[in-house]
Amino acid sequence: MMMNHTNQTEDALLSCYSPSVVGYRYVAVLWGCAVTIIGTVGNLMTILAFAIDPHLRTRFNVLIVNLAIADLLYCTIVQPSLVDSYLHLRWRTGQLYCRIFGLLLLLFNSVSIITLCLIAGGRYLMVAKRAVFDRVFSDLGLSLLIISAWALVLASICPLWHGYVFEPKFCVCTITRTTYHPYSLILLIFYFVVGLGCVGIFYLLIYRRVRIASQALLRYRFSRRSSRKKPASSAQDTNDSGVESSVVNTCSCEMSSHEERAPTIHEINCSATAVSASKSPPEIVTTPPSPTPAPTNAASSSNCTASGDDKEMRHVTHMCLAVFLCFVFCFAPFLLIHIADEHNRAPLVLYMFFGNLTWLNSCINPVLYAVMNSRFRRAYHVLLTRAAAPFTCLWSWWLSL
């Protein structure tokens, strides 16, 4: 009799049944199955694309692969248990796995936040302090950063082992207000508020640097248009001195392309070179032209290549910013309702919907990579073509019969 009472009590504690969510659970199950399939296939393709395409093996893409690994583990380990709990409206695997599940859930989400911080911080250093970036994000430094991120998160959440309980409002095992309240609140603020706040600050700083570069480029283009209105004799003297030709060669990459694009740090240097040349003292005019202009042409080619690299870097920066904004969009409603509704007055369906919204974070990143990055898109196409090749051959053989 005592054992039956204990089992009934445990079943009540691990149940999220309510008449108001009986119909919604099927929506959650379909949603969870789609996230599991899309997230598993997409993140696995991201990892394989990094492995097969040499052009994708960059330092920043190592961080993207780390993010994909965390999302892949989430989709293959955590998400199926969530689908099962919503399908039966109760946790069926006991208290022990409930604690393991809660630890893994917090581990994968926190590692994702730390990785987003590393990506945003690295992109800012690459724009503002390239020497520091090269030292910190070297091959060894990058490996240490990734290992440290996993170790830091795991060490910080292990003390909460006995605090992971089943939360009926979200139908998931997690940390609640009543378990380890001070420490869990500190972790919540550190990872989701401070961590995501730092990511936002880094991208604001990047935007500020790009805006400064844009203003410098506009000033340079204005000065170029003004200089073209000078008399021909003055232009001839300048060309004889070799100063104007040097400016044109140095900035040939910028002048040869009139497409609308964001300016780069190299274009700031280009603008600075033009300004310094235009303000040179008269003695420089009498300097004979260099007999070997090849280095200048080489510098021009180098600047063009650098501008192309910076254009690619801007695309990747926009992609990483989109990943961050999607992360905030997925988790902000969940965190806000968890903090603001202290008296549990919100409908249970709203709690579950906001909890289900966080599932999207684990499957949406590969979609963003495919849409916003041509190299990932080509690598995905190659993988899909190779995967479909046996079925295509089988279909062709069947049609030939």
Side-chain angles (χ1 to χ4, degrees):
M1 180 69 70
M2 182 65 69
M3 184 176 297
N4 292 334
H5 178 72
T6 304
N7 292 336
Q8 292 176 359
T9 303
E10 183 177 355
D11 290 340
L13 292 175
L14 299 179
S15 175
C16 59
Y17 175 83
S18 173
S20 62
V21 298
V22 171
Y24 175 77
R25 66 172 173 174
Y26 298 108
V27 177
V29 168
L30 292 176
W31 190 332
C33 290
V35 168
T36 302
I37 297 172
I38 297 174
T40 301
V41 175
N43 289 295
L44 186 59
M45 286 178 59
T46 301
I47 298 171
L48 293 177
F50 178 84
I52 67 172
D53 191 347
H55 296 94
L56 290 176
R57 295 175 194 157
T58 63
R59 283 176 281 184
F60 278 115
N61 286 346
V62 172
L63 295 174
I64 289 179
V65 168
N66 185 60
L67 188 62
I69 290 174
D71 290 340
L72 179 63
L73 293 174
Y74 178 94
C75 291
T76 55
I77 299 176
V78 173
Q79 193 63 50
S81 299
L82 288 171
V83 173
D84 182 80
S85 67
Y86 271 88
L87 180 61
H88 299 90
L89 291 179
R90 61 182 298 270
W91 188 261
R92 301 194 304 156
T93 51
Q95 287 282 2
L96 178 60
Y97 185 68
C98 182
R99 293 174 180 174
I100 296 174
F101 175 92
L103 187 143
L104 293 177
L105 177 65
L106 190 56
L107 172 65
F108 299 146
N109 287 330
S110 300
V111 168
S112 296
I113 295 175
I114 296 296
T115 304
L116 291 174
C117 288
L118 293 176
I119 292 173
R123 301 218 74 80
Y124 172 72
L125 290 178
M126 192 174 187
V127 172
K129 302 179 183 296
R130 186 56 185 262
V132 178
F133 167 81
D134 290 332
R135 289 195 301 268
V136 175
F137 285 83
S138 61
D139 293 339
L140 177 60
L142 194 57
S143 301
L144 292 176
L145 286 174
I146 293 175
I147 295 173
S148 300
W150 285 88
L152 172 65
V153 174
L154 190 60
S156 63
I157 65 178
C158 279
L160 296 172
W161 173 254
H162 295 286
Y164 299 107
V165 297
F166 186 76
E167 177 57 76
K169 291 184 297 185
F170 301 104
C171 208
V172 65
C173 290
T174 184
I175 301 171
T176 63
R177 296 189 185 95
T178 58
T179 58
Y180 290 86
H181 178 72
Y183 185 66
S184 60
L185 183 61
I186 292 173
L187 283 185
L188 181 69
I189 294 175
F190 177 75
Y191 286 118
F192 287 91
V193 179
V194 177
L196 295 178
C198 288
V199 177
I201 290 173
F202 279 129
Y203 281 117
L204 286 176
L205 292 175
I206 293 173
Y207 169 77
R208 182 174 177 270
R209 299 284 299 191
V210 171
R211 186 175 181 181
I212 292 174
S214 177
Q215 293 174 351
L217 182 59
L218 290 175
R219 287 195 299 269
Y220 169 70
R221 286 176 175 173
F222 179 77
S223 65
R224 287 291 301 168
R225 287 194 296 267
S226 300
S227 64
R228 289 174 182 175
K229 298 178 181 179
K230 291 182 179 180
S233 58
S234 175
Q236 181 65 32
D237 293 340
T238 307
N239 287 332
D240 290 341
S241 69
V243 175
E244 182 64 21
S245 62
S246 173
V247 173
V248 173
N249 287 334
T250 305
C251 302
S252 59
C253 180
E254 187 272 332
M255 295 304 299
S256 63
S257 175
H258 297 280
E259 62 178 354
E260 291 299 327
R261 59 183 177 87
T264 66
I265 301 303
H266 293 283
E267 290 168 341
I268 294 180
N269 296 333
C270 182
S271 175
T273 303
V275 173
S276 63
S278 63
K279 294 182 179 179
S280 299
E283 289 80 2
I284 298 180
V285 178
T286 60
T287 304
S290 174
T292 58
T296 304
N297 295 333
S300 177
S301 300
S302 175
N303 285 340
C304 290
T305 304
S307 297
D309 293 340
D310 285 348
K311 186 177 181 180
E312 178 68 19
M313 189 192 74
R314 287 196 303 274
H315 287 314
V316 177
T317 301
H318 294 158
M319 181 187 71
C320 296
L321 176 60
V323 171
F324 162 68
L325 293 178
C326 287
F327 190 97
V328 174
F329 170 77
C330 291
F331 277 89
F334 172 81
L335 294 175
L336 290 176
I337 195 172
H338 191 74
I339 295 174
D341 189 27
E342 296 183 1
H343 302 289
N344 299 325
R345 295 176 179 175
L348 186 59
V349 175
L350 190 62
Y351 273 100
M352 290 188 174
F353 175 76
F354 286 162
N356 300 156
L357 195 62
T358 63
W359 300 355
L360 292 177
N361 176 69
S362 60
C363 72
I364 200 172
N365 291 343
V367 178
L368 294 176
Y369 304 153
V371 172
M372 304 186 67
N373 191 287
S374 59
R375 289 182 176 177
F376 270 107
R377 187 161 55 248
R378 287 193 296 267
Y380 289 160
H381 182 266
V382 171
L383 288 172
L384 292 175
T385 303
R386 292 181 181 179
F391 301 99
T392 304
C393 294
L394 183 61
W395 179 254
S396 300
W397 174 80
W398 177 263
L399 293 177
S400 64
L401 293 178

